[in-house]
Amino acid sequence: MYKITINIKSVILKICFHNNIILYMEFLKLRGANMKRIIFGTGNTAKLSAMKKCLLPLGIEVVGIYELENIEVPKVIETGNTPLENARQKAIAYYKLLKRPVFSCDDGLYFENLPDEIQPKVHVRTVNGKYLSDDEMIEYYSSLAKKYGDIIAR
């Protein structure tokens, strides 16, 4: 499930993607927005590809913000403590740049058996201030599983 924040004419709508896509579409109709093409505020090609695939059957073209021509897209520093806060920061920043509806989503990682102070949350790749490579990330989370037993993502 994706948490999405949409900023349309300075109005923020928070939705859960897989449950409320119709709500999102109706919201856009009411505001007169172009339903055939929406801008996804992400630089993550995997997220962009998944969203394009998901919305294509609904007749909605998803365009990544970095796919837009003649736009210098700034890096948005994500300072939120939750995926929704980070998504909101990106949606607002990109809306201010484009003056057009933009949606963004973010995610985090939470485990049932871990103490709150070591939950990855939105910092899946950053541990103790260090950005982890794929191998380091596998090693780190494997060590947590050894220490705490089965850790189950929620």
Side-chain angles (χ1 to χ4, degrees):
M1 170 175 43
Y2 287 106
K3 295 281 188 187
I4 298 177
T5 298
I6 300 169
N7 186 329
I8 299 176
K9 297 182 182 176
S10 300
V11 175
I12 305 295
L13 172 67
K14 300 172 187 172
I15 64 173
C16 295
F17 177 71
H18 81 287
N19 291 331
N20 294 315
I21 188 64
I22 301 306
L23 173 64
Y24 167 63
M25 291 170 62
E26 289 304 316
F27 181 82
L28 289 178
K29 278 185 194 174
L30 291 173
R31 302 284 179 295
N34 181 354
M35 295 241 336
K36 299 290 183 196
R37 186 173 193 248
I38 58 176
I39 300 169
F40 187 9
T42 186
N44 183 320
T45 56
K47 281 183 187 177
L48 178 60
S49 178
M51 197 63 68
K52 283 182 176 193
K53 183 178 178 182
C54 189
L55 293 179
L56 183 63
L58 299 174
I60 299 172
E61 176 190 8
V62 177
V63 178
I65 194 157
Y66 290 95
E67 295 176 327
L68 299 174
E69 295 181 11
N70 303 317
I71 301 284
E72 188 173 329
V73 181
K75 172 76 172 135
V76 176
I77 305 300
E78 299 173 25
T79 59
N81 291 316
T82 68
L84 192 55
E85 288 173 8
N86 283 340
R88 184 172 193 263
Q89 288 173 358
K90 290 184 286 188
I92 290 170
Y94 296 142
Y95 174 79
K96 287 179 180 178
L97 172 72
L98 301 173
K99 304 294 187 244
R100 292 172 49 193
V102 174
F103 80 95
S104 185
C105 67
D106 204 345
D107 46 27
L109 182 59
Y110 302 86
F111 294 107
E112 288 183 7
N113 303 353
L114 293 184
D116 191 58
E117 62 272 8
I118 61 171
Q119 288 287 348
K121 301 176 185 172
V122 295
H123 309 288
V124 177
R125 281 197 177 264
T126 305
V127 176
N128 299 323
K130 181 180 188 255
Y131 186 82
L132 304 179
S133 68
D134 288 348
D135 290 338
E136 291 170 324
M137 198 167 74
I138 291 167
E139 183 180 325
Y140 174 72
Y141 290 111
S142 295
S143 73
L144 290 180
K146 286 178 187 171
K147 181 174 181 177
Y148 292 97
D150 289 335
I151 52 175
I152 301 165
R154 7 178 181 146

